[in-house]
Amino acid sequence: MPCTTNSCDRPLAAIRIRAAAGRPQRGWLIAEGRAIAVALGRGGIRANKREGDGGTPKGIFRPVRLWWRPDRHPRPRTFLPVRAITPMDGWCEDPADRRYNRPIRLTPHATGDRLSRDDHLYDFIIEIDHNTRPRVAGRGSAVFLHLARDNFGPTAGCVAMTRPAMLRLLRRIGPCTKIVIG
Protein backbone atom coordinates (compact mmCIF):
# COMPACT_ATOMS: atom_id res chain seq x y z
CA MET A 1 0.00 0.00 0.00
CA PRO A 2 2.03 2.95 -1.21
CA CYS A 3 1.64 6.19 0.64
CA THR A 4 3.16 9.57 1.10
CA THR A 5 4.81 10.49 4.38
CA ASN A 6 1.70 12.42 5.45
CA SER A 7 -0.81 9.68 4.55
CA CYS A 8 1.16 7.01 6.46
CA ASP A 9 0.75 9.05 9.63
CA ARG A 10 -2.97 8.25 9.81
CA PRO A 11 -5.11 5.13 9.38
CA LEU A 12 -6.91 4.27 6.17
CA ALA A 13 -10.50 5.54 5.95
CA ALA A 14 -11.70 2.30 4.31
CA ILE A 15 -10.72 -1.01 2.76
CA ARG A 16 -12.93 -3.04 0.44
CA ILE A 17 -13.09 -6.81 0.14
CA ARG A 18 -14.69 -8.37 -2.94
CA ALA A 19 -14.94 -11.88 -4.33
CA ALA A 20 -12.91 -12.66 -7.43
CA ALA A 21 -14.91 -13.09 -10.64
CA GLY A 22 -15.99 -16.73 -10.90
CA ARG A 23 -14.13 -17.71 -7.70
CA PRO A 24 -16.33 -17.00 -4.65
CA GLN A 25 -13.80 -18.46 -2.18
CA ARG A 26 -11.06 -16.13 -3.35
CA GLY A 27 -11.08 -12.38 -3.44
CA TRP A 28 -9.34 -9.04 -3.32
CA LEU A 29 -8.75 -6.59 -0.52
CA ILE A 30 -8.49 -3.13 -2.06
CA ALA A 31 -6.77 -0.33 -0.15
CA GLU A 32 -5.48 2.92 -1.63
CA GLY A 33 -5.93 1.53 -5.14
CA ARG A 34 -3.83 -1.57 -4.47
CA ALA A 35 -5.34 -5.06 -4.61
CA ILE A 36 -4.18 -7.82 -2.26
CA ALA A 37 -5.20 -11.44 -2.88
CA VAL A 38 -7.29 -12.94 -0.06
CA ALA A 39 -9.00 -16.23 0.74
CA LEU A 40 -12.68 -16.01 1.71
CA GLY A 41 -15.08 -18.40 3.39
CA ARG A 42 -15.92 -21.73 1.75
CA GLY A 43 -19.49 -20.39 1.38
CA GLY A 44 -18.37 -17.19 -0.38
CA ILE A 45 -19.67 -13.79 0.70
CA ARG A 46 -23.15 -14.03 2.25
CA ALA A 47 -25.65 -11.32 3.13
CA ASN A 48 -27.46 -13.64 5.56
CA LYS A 49 -24.55 -15.09 7.57
CA ARG A 50 -25.36 -18.06 9.84
CA GLU A 51 -23.16 -19.98 12.29
CA GLY A 52 -21.34 -22.80 10.51
CA ASP A 53 -22.31 -21.82 6.93
CA GLY A 54 -18.71 -21.03 5.97
CA GLY A 55 -19.79 -17.68 4.60
CA THR A 56 -17.86 -14.43 4.88
CA PRO A 57 -20.43 -11.85 6.05
CA LYS A 58 -21.40 -9.06 3.67
CA GLY A 59 -21.53 -5.62 5.29
CA ILE A 60 -19.60 -2.71 6.72
CA PHE A 61 -17.51 -3.47 9.79
CA ARG A 62 -14.83 -1.86 11.96
CA PRO A 63 -11.68 -3.43 13.36
CA VAL A 64 -11.77 -3.85 17.14
CA ARG A 65 -8.22 -4.96 18.01
CA LEU A 66 -5.23 -6.92 16.86
CA TRP A 67 -4.55 -10.25 18.56
CA TRP A 68 -0.96 -11.38 18.00
CA ARG A 69 1.43 -14.21 18.90
CA PRO A 70 4.41 -12.58 20.66
CA ASP A 71 6.26 -15.91 20.65
CA ARG A 72 6.30 -15.90 16.83
CA HIS A 73 6.67 -12.28 15.79
CA PRO A 74 7.69 -8.94 17.32
CA ARG A 75 4.80 -6.62 18.11
CA PRO A 76 3.76 -5.13 14.76
CA ARG A 77 3.25 -1.45 14.17
CA THR A 78 -0.46 -0.61 13.99
CA PHE A 79 -3.02 2.02 14.96
CA LEU A 80 -5.19 -0.73 16.52
CA PRO A 81 -5.26 -1.70 20.19
CA VAL A 82 -3.08 -4.81 20.58
CA ARG A 83 -3.53 -7.89 22.74
CA ALA A 84 -1.04 -10.73 22.99
CA ILE A 85 -2.46 -14.23 22.46
CA THR A 86 -1.83 -16.67 25.31
CA PRO A 87 -2.38 -20.46 25.31
CA MET A 88 -5.58 -19.92 27.33
CA ASP A 89 -7.25 -17.53 24.84
CA GLY A 90 -10.25 -18.77 22.87
CA TRP A 91 -13.40 -17.56 21.16
CA CYS A 92 -16.91 -18.75 22.03
CA GLU A 93 -18.74 -20.16 18.99
CA ASP A 94 -21.65 -21.79 20.87
CA PRO A 95 -24.90 -19.89 20.14
CA ALA A 96 -26.40 -21.26 23.38
CA ASP A 97 -23.61 -19.78 25.52
CA ARG A 98 -24.06 -16.29 27.03
CA ARG A 99 -20.46 -15.54 25.93
CA TYR A 100 -21.26 -16.28 22.26
CA ASN A 101 -19.02 -14.42 19.80
CA ARG A 102 -16.74 -13.11 22.53
CA PRO A 103 -13.24 -13.92 23.67
CA ILE A 104 -13.09 -16.53 26.42
CA ARG A 105 -10.51 -18.05 28.73
CA LEU A 106 -10.18 -21.73 27.86
CA THR A 107 -10.32 -24.28 30.64
CA PRO A 108 -9.90 -28.05 30.34
CA HIS A 109 -13.69 -28.37 29.88
CA ALA A 110 -14.34 -25.23 27.81
CA THR A 111 -15.00 -25.49 24.11
CA GLY A 112 -14.27 -22.80 21.62
CA ASP A 113 -11.97 -21.70 18.86
CA ARG A 114 -8.43 -21.85 20.30
CA LEU A 115 -6.54 -18.68 19.34
CA SER A 116 -3.12 -20.17 20.14
CA ARG A 117 -2.89 -22.57 17.19
CA ASP A 118 -0.08 -24.89 16.13
CA ASP A 119 -0.30 -23.63 12.55
CA HIS A 120 0.34 -19.97 11.74
CA LEU A 121 -3.18 -18.90 10.69
CA TYR A 122 -3.79 -16.98 13.91
CA ASP A 123 -0.33 -15.46 14.38
CA PHE A 124 -2.15 -12.17 13.64
CA ILE A 125 -5.91 -11.77 14.05
CA ILE A 126 -7.75 -8.56 13.32
CA GLU A 127 -10.97 -8.86 15.31
CA ILE A 128 -13.89 -7.11 13.58
CA ASP A 129 -17.24 -6.00 14.97
CA HIS A 130 -19.35 -8.55 13.06
CA ASN A 131 -22.41 -9.63 15.10
CA THR A 132 -21.48 -7.64 18.20
CA ARG A 133 -24.11 -4.89 18.68
CA PRO A 134 -26.43 -6.59 19.10
CA ARG A 135 -25.03 -10.11 19.32
CA VAL A 136 -27.56 -12.47 17.81
CA ALA A 137 -27.20 -16.19 18.56
CA GLY A 138 -26.54 -18.15 15.39
CA ARG A 139 -25.64 -15.13 13.20
CA GLY A 140 -21.96 -16.01 13.10
CA SER A 141 -18.94 -15.78 15.36
CA ALA A 142 -15.16 -15.52 15.21
CA VAL A 143 -15.06 -13.64 11.90
CA PHE A 144 -11.52 -12.30 11.64
CA LEU A 145 -8.89 -11.10 9.21
CA HIS A 146 -5.99 -13.53 9.64
CA LEU A 147 -3.20 -15.32 7.80
CA ALA A 148 -3.93 -17.58 4.82
CA ARG A 149 -3.06 -21.22 4.35
CA ASP A 150 -0.14 -21.87 1.98
CA ASN A 151 -2.55 -22.96 -0.76
CA PHE A 152 -4.96 -20.04 -0.11
CA GLY A 153 -7.63 -22.60 0.77
CA PRO A 154 -11.02 -21.25 1.86
CA THR A 155 -11.65 -20.16 5.45
CA ALA A 156 -14.60 -20.93 7.73
CA GLY A 157 -15.88 -17.39 7.05
CA CYS A 158 -12.89 -15.14 7.66
CA VAL A 159 -10.73 -13.13 5.29
CA ALA A 160 -7.16 -14.46 5.05
CA MET A 161 -4.00 -13.08 3.48
CA THR A 162 -0.23 -13.60 3.36
CA ARG A 163 1.98 -12.49 6.25
CA PRO A 164 3.61 -9.65 4.23
CA ALA A 165 0.16 -8.36 3.19
CA MET A 166 -1.06 -8.54 6.81
CA LEU A 167 1.94 -6.60 8.10
CA ARG A 168 1.40 -3.88 5.45
CA LEU A 169 -2.31 -3.70 6.33
CA LEU A 170 -1.59 -3.51 10.07
CA ARG A 171 0.60 -0.43 9.55
CA ARG A 172 -2.37 1.39 7.98
CA ILE A 173 -5.53 0.10 9.71
CA GLY A 174 -7.11 1.74 12.75
CA PRO A 175 -10.31 1.49 14.84
CA CYS A 176 -12.17 3.92 12.53
CA THR A 177 -11.20 2.18 9.27
CA LYS A 178 -14.32 0.89 7.51
CA ILE A 179 -14.06 -2.71 6.32
CA VAL A 180 -16.53 -3.03 3.44
CA ILE A 181 -17.17 -6.67 2.47
CA GLY A 182 -19.20 -7.48 -0.61
Side-chain angles (χ1 to χ4, degrees), residues 6-178:
N6 291 342
S7 68
C8 285
D9 293 338
R10 63 182 182 276
L12 293 167
I15 61 173
R16 300 190 185 289
I17 299 165
R18 296 200 171 112
R23 301 183 75 190
Q25 298 164 342
R26 295 271 183 102
W28 300 101
L29 183 153
I30 298 115
E32 295 186 315
R34 183 172 179 177
I36 298 167
V38 294
L40 300 172
R42 67 181 180 278
I45 295 175
R46 296 191 174 201
N48 190 19
K49 170 78 180 139
R50 306 299 287 168
E51 188 69 40
D53 67 3
T56 299
K58 180 178 182 175
I60 300 173
F61 308 100
R62 301 269 185 194
V64 176
R65 74 178 59 97
L66 168 67
W67 295 76
W68 127 94
R69 289 283 302 266
D71 58 324
R72 294 187 174 169
H73 195 280
R75 182 182 171 132
R77 196 176 97 207
T78 186
F79 292 101
L80 293 172
V82 179
R83 180 168 169 182
I85 296 172
T86 71
M88 300 309 293
D89 287 319
W91 203 269
C92 182
E93 297 177 318
D94 179 358
D97 192 309
R98 65 179 173 76
R99 302 168 301 167
Y100 177 65
N101 197 29
R102 287 191 178 159
I104 57 172
R105 189 113 173 111
L106 295 174
T107 62
H109 305 292
T111 60
D113 190 7
R114 179 171 295 282
L115 300 186
S116 180
R117 295 171 56 126
D118 291 335
D119 62 21
H120 291 275
L121 298 185
Y122 283 4
D123 284 4
F124 304 97
I125 302 169
I126 298 174
E127 175 188 343
I128 67 172
D129 66 354
H130 168 260
N131 192 24
T132 57
R133 291 189 186 110
R135 276 181 308 129
V136 178
R139 297 298 289 178
S141 63
V143 176
F144 307 129
L145 277 64
H146 63 72
L147 299 182
R149 291 179 173 82
D150 290 339
N151 66 357
F152 259 75
T155 69
C158 297
V159 175
M161 65 199 74
T162 65
R163 178 183 300 265
M166 173 64 79
L167 291 171
R168 281 192 308 272
L169 178 62
L170 285 171
R171 285 192 297 268
R172 296 303 320 283
I173 196 168
C176 293
T177 303
K178 285 186 201 174

